[in-house]
Amino acid sequence: MKKSRIYVANWKMNMHLSDAVDFAAQCKNFMQKNNTSEKQIILCPSFPAITSVVHALEDVAIGVSAQNCSDHQVGAYTGEVSAQSLREAGCSYCIVGHSERRKYFHETNEVIARKVTNLLIASINPIICIGETAQEFKDDKTLSVLEEQLVLVIKAINESQEMPESISFAYEPVWAIGTGKIPDQQILEKVLTWLATYIKKELTHDTTIHLLYGGSVDENSITQLMNVKSIDGFLIGSASLDFQKFKNIVSLL
Ligand code: PGA
């Protein structure tokens, strides 16, 4: 079966509840009017908007994802949100390991692996972000950095009793996020081919794997990115804040 192309709108801390619901309603309308069975849209509101967005998307195949979850399952962790609560709120997906969480909230590969375990227990499809910094890219360390970021996450998946419908790995070079820069096509092909081979070799469970790219995906860069064969979809930050821009990206392919 042909995999559908995935578009993940990572709104970060930008959309307020009413904007999020409004966007979701426009997205629902768009999906109902267009023959888009080969496209999978996933919206990532902030925590307080999740249930309202889920309601706004009733009767349409658009996924809802959280942007983060706790690395604990339950307990005295003030301010944290568990994977199980996200499931009950209607999330089918959750982003983990985004570079902003690694940088500003000091999330380690151990913490990210525990989050993945909790998501699998809660039957949520993880969207796992990995990517190298500008310096690591200059030093030609991309693949070794990605491997380091993947080892514990893959171990967590292999040790899990539960398997979700899909696991997405999003390659997001830190230097491409919000900068307007994207990697050359050749580099992307090389990294994504390596990623596909590595995951196939290391992952002992059989589940659908999606390889996403994220970092300055917009109406311009998408024409170049669509030439990269191994990309199954995109994680879109700032260009997903405006419905028209997002729609143009989704409509292009
Ligand atoms: P950007 O963000 O599209 O604004 O570069 C992508 C991301 O951080 O996921």
Side-chain angles (χ1 to χ4, degrees):
M1 199 176 77
K2 192 173 180 295
K3 275 191 197 173
S4 50
R5 187 76 86 157
I6 299 161
Y7 300 85
V8 184
N10 178 16
W11 293 337
K12 310 190 181 184
M13 206 179 70
N14 290 304
M15 290 255 205
H16 297 304
L17 199 147
S18 55
D19 301 326
V21 171
D22 188 49
F23 190 112
Q26 293 187 72
C27 230
K28 176 175 176 171
N29 195 20
F30 169 73
M31 286 297 269
Q32 284 174 333
K33 286 199 177 129
N34 292 276
N35 181 12
T36 44
S37 61
E38 289 188 353
K39 298 180 185 197
Q40 161 79 64
I41 290 177
I42 300 170
L43 304 181
C44 312
S46 52
F47 291 136
I50 287 172
T51 38
S52 306
V53 167
V54 168
H55 287 309
L57 295 174
E58 255 161 33
D59 307 321
V60 68
I62 295 177
V64 177
S65 171
Q67 299 174 13
N68 180 35
C69 70
S70 175
D71 61 320
H72 299 283
Q73 283 184 38
V74 67
Y77 302 102
T78 303
E80 289 290 273
V81 177
S82 71
Q84 183 58 35
S85 296
L86 294 173
R87 176 80 245 180
E88 288 176 23
C91 283
S92 322
Y93 299 86
C94 181
I95 297 174
V96 289
H98 191 281
S99 65
E100 286 151 15
R101 300 233 36 110
R102 292 178 192 262
K103 182 174 173 193
Y104 301 126
F105 303 95
H106 314 294
E107 289 191 5
T108 61
N109 292 321
E110 285 82 3
V111 167
I112 294 159
R114 283 202 297 277
K115 292 184 181 204
V116 169
T117 299
N118 295 345
L119 291 174
L120 299 183
I121 292 170
S123 304
I124 293 181
N125 303 306
I127 301 173
I128 301 160
C129 299
I130 52 173
E132 82 287 358
T133 62
Q135 191 58 49
E136 289 161 346
F137 178 71
K138 268 194 208 127
D139 295 344
D140 201 16
K141 288 191 179 144
T142 300
L143 299 186
S144 58
V145 169
L146 297 188
E147 181 164 2
E148 210 179 303
Q149 293 175 341
L150 284 169
V151 168
L152 293 179
V153 155
I154 294 205
K155 185 168 179 277
I157 299 168
N158 286 344
E159 286 173 357
S160 174
Q161 308 288 318
E162 330 289 332
M163 253 326 101
E165 278 166 32
S166 70
I167 301 175
S168 300
F169 291 89
Y171 172 50
E172 296 208 300
V174 179
W175 53 270
I177 296 175
T179 58
K181 295 182 200 157
I182 58 165
D184 292 344
Q185 187 176 337
Q186 254 182 323
I187 292 173
L188 272 178
E189 295 281 11
K190 179 180 150 198
V191 172
L192 287 162
T193 305
W194 175 86
L195 194 55
T197 313
Y198 182 83
I199 293 167
K200 198 165 179 226
K201 178 164 70 82
E202 300 297 326
L203 203 69
T204 52
H205 285 299
D206 193 20
T207 184
T208 304
I209 299 297
H210 298 297
L211 299 186
L212 312 183
Y213 168 78
S216 296
V217 178
D218 61 21
E219 295 155 293
N220 300 319
S221 62
I222 194 75
T223 45
Q224 204 175 318
L225 291 165
M226 67 197 267
N227 294 325
V228 183
K229 306 273 175 305
S230 26
I231 294 180
D232 298 318
F234 304 95
L235 190 47
I236 309 162
S238 46
S240 75
L241 297 175
D242 177 317
F243 179 71
Q244 286 309 318
K245 284 188 186 167
F246 183 68
K247 191 183 85 174
N248 290 343
I249 294 172
V250 175
S251 305
L252 239 179
L253 302 179

